[in-house]
Every structure is written in C-alpha cells, then in structure tokens.
Amino acid sequence: MNKKVTLAQLQEVVQEAYDQVKTNTGGKNADYIPYLANVNKDLFGISVCLLNGQTIHVGDTDYRFGIESVSKVHTAILALRQYGAKEILDKIGADATGLPFNSIIAILLENDHPSTPLVNAGAISACSMVKPIGDSVKKWDAIVGNITDLCGSAPQLIDELYKSESDTNFNNRSIAWLLKNYNRIYDDPDMALDLYTRQCSLGVTALQLSVAAGTIANGGVNPVTKKEVFDAKATEAANLSKQLKSKMTDDEAAKAQADADRKALEDKYTELLRKSTIAEHTARYIAMPGYDEKLARETAEALFDGKMYVVFANQQKANAAYEKKLRADLVKQDPKPDGAGGG
C-alpha cells in the first residue's frame, strides 16, 4: 500500500527537527584549520530538495560555509563520470578504512590502493585523476563545473579559508607524496593536493547541497534545473555497492588473507616504531646525569609503555647515583678530613 505524504507534512517534520536541534550547544567548531574555529557556531539550517524540484528550508540555509569533506562526494562522481566505476575501483577502491579520515597509517596498511575516494587519501587521488591530466586550470574548471551542475548553481571560493588550509595542510602533504611513492596518484602530487585544498575551500549553502543530494537521488538528473549531470547506468554508480558485494563474496579467502597480512604489517610497524622510539629515548637518557645504559634503556621502555611510575623511580635512582658520584669526586679532589693539618 502506497502512502502519500503531503508537502505540508514534510514541512512540518523539517520544522520540528529544526526546533528540536537548534538549541543543542554541545560540541565545538573544528579548529585544525584556523579559519573554521572562527565561524559563527550558532549558524544552523536544514534544507530538503524533493525529486520534483520543490525545496523545503528553514534556518540559515543561504549562508555560504566551507564545503570541506562533502566535496569528496562531488569529485568522486566526477571521476566516475570520466572513468567509470571499474577504473575507480582499480585505481582508488571503495572500502572503508576503519581509521580516521586523514589517516596516514591507512595508506601504509593498504598500499595497493587508497581504499575509498571518501577519505583524504582517496579524494586527493581522485583529484589527480580528473581530466585533463597535467592542466591545473582545466582540471579546476571541471571540478567547479561538476559541483555547479550537481548543485544547480555555482559555489564560490572562500579565499581566506583556502589560505588557512594551504598554510596548515602538512598532514595532507605527507599523504600526497606517500601516494606518489605507491604509484597511486595520477598527476603531479602538489597539483592534486592544491586542487583538493581548493575544492574543500569552496563556499556552498545548505540549499545548494540539498539540490546536489536530490540530483544523486534522482539518478543524475538535477531536479531543479532538469539537467542530466551524470548517467547512472553509464557510470555504474548505482551498481557500485552491488559490484563490491559480489567481489567480496568471490574473494572471501583472499580477504581473510589480506586481513592477516594487514595485521602482520601493523604489528611489524608497531614493533619498528617501538624499537626506534626506545632507542631514541635511551640515547637521550644516557646523556643525562646518573643514567647508565641499563637504567636508560629500562626508563625508555617504561616511557613508551606508559609506566610512568617506573620512569619516576628511575629518575630518583639516577639522581642518587649522580649525587654519589659528585661526593666521590669531591673526596678525590680533597681527601683530607676537615681540620687535618700538615707537619
């Protein structure tokens, strides 16, 4: 039985959700990018785009905020439009990493591909794939044009945000060049990183994003402009999850082996990290007064393992040893007891 929902009922639900959530003051602005920390935290809006092009919006839906990681979805669609799902699966992948969105460890564990275009590594890789290869200006035009088609109107670059991100994107620089090391970036790494940083700095409204979501839900046809942005069948976007499920079913044994290999690599990396860190701290402690090689290594191991009570106890041992040495040195310099005289 099909039950129809009226526009008025949808508007009522959206308004109710807005009223219920707008007083929530928990959390805080992201501050890893300085610009974001200063955005008005009270801005809030909800926008819904229906497949017939009608929109429902309440609150600050016209405010242009930095699109940030939402842009990954748009560029993934652009890559699908230009290459098709099979090549995206081969060159990037579509598996969740199970690690933070900006993880470097995920690349080390999945060096055969960046895993998914919806984490930083995969999104930077996707930007490198955007055609035409080697032409930053035309690649940027393609990225902005794709977002404009999806949203039904153009985004605007927030220059201050772009500068703030460019000045602080050290982790993403590491990601770009690590991908280059594994041959999983397909254009100049610095160019790909700059394109990714710029696309994250585009200003969009909640209303624009709702239209983009409506375009995706409508099989690639923008419900407002009526323009066909992508052919769901041609890009195989609609069948992507189905392909993945089939692939996983066929390769269960291979996946189990891959998981075991990943665990072994992770254990190896952790052990290497432990050894190098302990060696570094051992050298530092040996250079400090009162520590011999044995005490220095024991303290370094305790520091790495978080056994601070051992670190503090060894510090007292080192202090005692150093005081004993100082007293011994004083005796050597003046072996005569107080008051003793010569004949």
Side-chain angles (χ1 to χ4, degrees):
M1 177 179 176
N2 292 328
K3 183 178 180 180
K4 291 187 177 181
V5 179
T6 67
L7 181 62
Q9 288 174 316
L10 286 175
Q11 289 173 327
E12 184 179 345
V13 170
V14 172
Q15 184 66 54
E16 182 181 345
Y18 176 82
D19 292 337
Q20 182 175 338
V21 177
K22 72 174 181 179
T23 56
N24 187 333
T25 57
K28 66 172 187 176
N29 286 18
D31 56 10
Y32 58 92
I33 299 170
Y35 175 91
L36 299 180
N38 298 319
V39 174
N40 182 356
K41 63 182 179 60
D42 295 323
L43 290 166
F44 174 56
I46 300 177
S47 183
V48 178
C49 179
L50 305 180
L51 299 190
N52 62 5
Q54 290 181 294
T55 58
I56 303 168
H57 40 90
V58 57
D60 303 303
T61 57
D62 290 329
Y63 176 82
R64 288 188 181 273
F65 58 88
I67 190 172
E68 294 301 333
S69 283
V70 179
S71 65
K72 294 170 181 171
V73 176
H74 299 76
T75 305
I77 289 173
L78 175 58
L80 282 165
R81 291 172 65 182
Q82 293 186 338
Y83 291 90
K86 185 179 184 305
E87 193 160 353
I88 298 302
L89 283 172
D90 291 341
K91 290 188 173 182
I92 298 178
D95 294 321
T97 66
L99 293 167
F101 69 96
N102 60 350
S103 174
I104 291 177
I105 295 296
I107 305 172
L108 298 173
L109 296 176
E110 295 276 6
N111 56 60
D112 59 330
H113 55 72
S115 295
T116 167
L118 301 184
V119 295
N120 287 17
I124 293 170
S125 184
C127 284
S128 76
M129 290 180 67
V130 172
K131 298 176 182 178
I133 299 298
D135 191 326
S136 177
V137 173
K138 290 184 178 179
K139 284 166 81 85
W140 177 244
D141 288 343
I143 289 171
V144 174
N146 177 66
I147 294 177
T148 300
D149 289 344
L150 288 166
C151 293
S153 56
Q156 294 179 7
L157 184 66
I158 303 175
D159 291 322
E160 187 179 351
L161 174 55
Y162 174 44
K163 183 179 185 307
S164 185
E165 291 214 37
S166 298
D167 290 344
T168 56
N169 63 353
F170 307 110
N171 192 79
N172 284 342
R173 294 178 203 176
S174 300
I175 287 175
W177 283 98
L178 190 56
L179 289 173
K180 175 67 174 177
N181 181 62
Y182 288 123
N183 296 317
R184 288 299 174 177
I185 204 156
Y186 307 101
D187 207 335
D188 178 76
D190 289 329
M191 180 197 298
L193 175 61
D194 179 66
L195 289 168
Y196 173 70
T197 304
R198 267 193 285 170
Q199 78 172 32
C200 289
S201 303
L202 287 169
V204 294
T205 68
L207 180 57
Q208 285 178 301
L209 287 186
S210 71
V211 174
T215 303
I216 297 169
N218 202 32
V221 177
N222 188 306
V224 176
T225 65
K226 311 304 179 186
K227 178 178 180 179
E228 184 180 59
V229 180
F230 63 87
D231 182 345
K233 184 177 180 180
T235 60
E236 299 176 271
N239 297 320
L240 191 55
S241 61
K242 187 176 180 181
Q243 291 182 31
L244 286 172
K245 184 177 180 181
S246 175
K247 184 174 184 296
M248 289 173 65
T249 301
D250 293 341
D251 297 340
E252 284 182 356
K255 185 179 185 302
Q257 182 60 51
D259 289 342
D261 292 343
R262 177 189 300 196
K263 181 65 168 57
L265 181 59
E266 185 176 311
D267 291 344
K268 182 179 180 181
Y269 178 80
T270 301
E271 182 59 25
L272 287 173
L273 179 63
R274 175 185 172 84
K275 287 182 179 179
S276 63
T277 303
I278 288 175
E280 179 182 342
H281 287 305
T282 298
R284 182 166 65 86
Y285 279 115
I286 288 176
M288 296 170 64
Y291 286 90
D292 58 20
E293 184 173 349
K294 181 180 178 182
L295 187 63
R297 180 169 182 81
E298 180 183 304
T299 307
E301 290 175 347
L303 182 64
F304 185 89
D305 294 332
K307 298 177 180 178
M308 299 310 296
Y309 64 93
V310 176
V311 175
F312 295 139
N314 286 355
Q315 178 66 64
Q316 292 178 336
K317 290 180 184 179
N319 289 342
Y322 185 56
E323 289 175 5
K324 183 177 180 180
K325 180 179 182 301
L326 286 177
R327 286 196 297 270
D329 289 344
L330 287 173
V331 170
K332 287 180 182 178
Q333 293 174 10
D334 186 10
K336 300 173 184 178
D338 290 344

